Amino acid sequence: MLLHHELTNSDKQYINYLRGGLILRVVLMHLGLAWFYMPYSSYFGLFFPALFGVSGIVSYYSYRRAGDVVHYVIKRIARIVVTFYIISGSAYLILFIINPQWMGLSEFLNWLLINPKSVDQPYPMGQIWFLRALILLTVIVLPFFYLSLRNINYLLVPVFISLLISLAQQFHAVGSVFMIVIGDLNEINTYHPLVNMGYFCFCAWASYVGLLKRTSWMFCLVFVGALMAWAIFQHQHFSLNLADHSYFQDFFYLSLGYAGIGLLFGLRAPITLVLEKIPAFGRMLLFFSTHAFSIFMIHSLYIYLAEVVFNLKDMKSINEILIKIIFVILASVLSAVPLSYVCKKITGILIAKIDDRKKQQVAI
């Protein structure tokens, strides 16, 4: 019989540690961690799915507390989009002041949908696909969240759907089928939310039934994930560069993504011990967690500035590499504090208005 587990304070703290570490990993990957020793360094990418997993845990417990589905969805999406609109909107405004040029209607709508083309972005923001996918899957998984209130195992249905889609991509390259075109708008990638909802719902399910705390189960997940990836590679013999499997995630990537999740939760005890022994590192991860969306959005601006303004794109020495890393991380950290304050303030005002309207409706 599966037992239900609420999140304890230690659970919440470890999730915050993971979120902070995963955001730091994104920054470091964009700074060169992904390609310094190819193809092996590309496998740091197998930990990215855990970011969807952590989001799934937080979202699911939030959903169970919410009581009102519409209220939950609006608040959830508001927390995601406000940071994007403020940071990217400010960048567009600065560019407009420097070089006045009006944005067309289709470009504006693409921006509202968090789906601008690369050439229309104020600075490289390739990472925003994650925000767009997170918004879409927030809505997609709602029926399964609702059904899970009756039986928690309904959360496994999206996991199996995700596995089937990734298998189809592995053998038949079906990813382009999930690209939706609406009028003159840019293509909307629905493959991303559909395949990543597996991590999202699996971690929510595994947390609620207590499996994320069972080290043996997590290392079984690592073993099974690695075994399935090896079996697929033996059958097909494709590129060993994990990045080649990441845009339309195939079963090879998905298997390693679950292995990465198993590894991060299976090593919870030693990771927590290290963070207790080195509290400064723990505080740094908590900082990255607190300011996750701001750092996630702004760090690529500083990478762009480092490469274009300071000419640190083709780095030829250790000193140049260190200067770029220190500049990007330090600038991102310093910017994150005021950006997060403004974004959370505006989000708080929006949510307060939503709460007030809900209270008025109840009163009527």
Side-chain angles (χ1 to χ4, degrees):
M1 182 178 177
L2 296 175
L3 300 177
H4 294 173
H5 293 258
E6 295 298 326
L7 292 178
T8 64
N9 288 334
S10 63
D11 294 334
K12 294 175 183 176
Q13 185 176 48
Y14 189 68
I15 287 171
N16 286 329
Y17 282 144
L18 283 187
R19 185 194 292 112
L22 291 166
I23 293 296
L24 177 59
R25 186 212 66 90
V26 169
V27 176
L28 293 176
M29 288 286 279
H30 291 163
L31 280 167
L33 185 64
W35 59 81
F36 79 96
Y37 187 53
M38 295 295 287
Y40 309 105
S41 57
S42 69
Y43 285 85
F44 284 108
L46 65 86
F47 294 109
F48 188 82
L51 203 50
F52 279 104
V54 167
S55 297
I57 296 170
V58 174
S59 296
Y60 185 64
Y61 283 94
S62 177
Y63 173 83
R64 294 188 70 95
R65 293 192 303 269
D68 183 279
V69 175
V70 175
H71 194 240
Y72 158 79
V73 171
I74 293 174
K75 290 173 70 172
R76 177 71 181 161
I77 292 177
R79 289 191 171 99
I80 298 171
V81 300
V82 166
T83 301
F84 169 77
Y85 289 150
I86 289 176
I87 294 177
S88 63
S90 299
Y92 277 118
L93 180 60
I94 292 171
L95 285 179
F96 179 78
I97 293 172
I98 296 173
N99 180 26
Q101 188 175 359
W102 291 104
M103 181 185 291
L105 178 59
S106 61
E107 287 80 9
F108 178 70
L109 292 175
N110 285 323
W111 174 69
L112 286 180
L113 294 171
I114 316 182
N115 196 32
K117 290 181 179 178
S118 298
V119 294
D120 296 326
Q121 294 172 6
Y123 62 91
M125 299 188 298
Q127 71 271 27
I128 62 174
W129 73 267
F130 171 76
L131 304 180
R132 187 170 60 252
L134 203 57
I135 291 170
L136 289 173
L137 72 82
T138 295
V139 177
I140 292 170
V141 302
L142 280 177
F144 305 105
F145 274 18
Y146 173 75
L147 291 171
S148 73
L149 299 179
R150 302 177 183 179
N151 187 329
I152 191 65
N153 292 323
Y154 277 111
L155 285 180
L156 294 177
V157 176
V159 178
F160 289 117
I161 293 173
S162 170
L163 290 171
L164 289 175
I165 292 173
S166 68
L167 273 171
Q169 171 62 23
Q170 186 76 55
F171 294 104
H172 302 289
V174 299
S176 59
V177 174
F178 295 87
M179 303 297 288
I180 296 176
V181 179
I182 303 174
D184 294 329
L185 298 177
N186 297 334
E187 288 184 315
I188 298 175
N189 190 324
T190 61
Y191 186 90
H192 286 159
L194 288 172
V195 77
N196 285 293
M197 72 179 179
Y199 312 124
F200 193 87
C201 289
F202 172 79
C203 286
W205 172 82
S207 176
Y208 201 68
V209 302
L211 291 186
L212 287 185
K213 293 183 179 181
R214 299 185 185 181
T215 304
S216 58
W217 280 89
M218 290 298 98
F219 280 109
C220 281
L221 182 62
V222 174
F223 175 76
V224 171
L227 181 64
M228 294 306 297
W230 177 83
I232 288 290
F233 177 71
Q234 290 298 310
H235 179 76
Q236 288 193 316
H237 294 286
F238 40 68
S239 169
L240 276 174
N241 186 346
L242 192 62
D244 294 334
H245 307 268
S246 64
Y247 185 75
F248 290 124
Q249 288 184 32
D250 54 25
F251 192 74
F252 177 73
Y253 187 103
L254 203 77
S255 299
L256 291 175
Y258 281 107
I261 289 171
L263 198 59
L264 289 175
F265 283 97
L267 293 174
R268 173 174 172 167
I271 289 174
T272 302
L273 181 62
V274 169
L275 293 176
E276 289 175 351
K277 294 290 185 181
I278 315 175
F281 187 51
R283 287 194 295 271
M284 181 185 73
L285 294 185
L286 292 177
F287 178 91
F288 271 77
S289 176
T290 300
H291 304 283
F293 281 134
S294 295
I295 294 174
F296 185 79
M297 276 297 303
I298 201 68
H299 78 277
S300 57
L301 169 61
Y302 294 116
I303 292 176
Y304 175 74
L305 292 176
E307 293 177 351
V308 174
V309 178
F310 304 123
N311 197 28
L312 293 174
K313 187 172 185 178
D314 299 319
M315 297 171 291
K316 299 177 181 179
S317 68
I318 295 296
N319 287 338
E320 288 181 336
I321 294 172
L322 290 176
I323 289 172
K324 183 178 180 180
I325 292 173
I326 292 171
F327 167 72
V328 170
I329 292 180
L330 188 60
S332 299
V333 165
L334 292 175
S335 301
V337 176
L339 284 173
S340 293
Y341 175 81
V342 172
C343 293
K344 290 178 180 178
K345 195 75 173 178
I346 293 174
T347 303
I349 293 171
L350 290 174
I351 291 175
K353 288 185 177 180
I354 294 169
D355 289 337
D356 289 341
R357 180 168 294 183
K358 182 182 177 183
K359 290 177 182 177
Q360 291 174 4
Q361 290 173 347
V362 172
I364 293 173

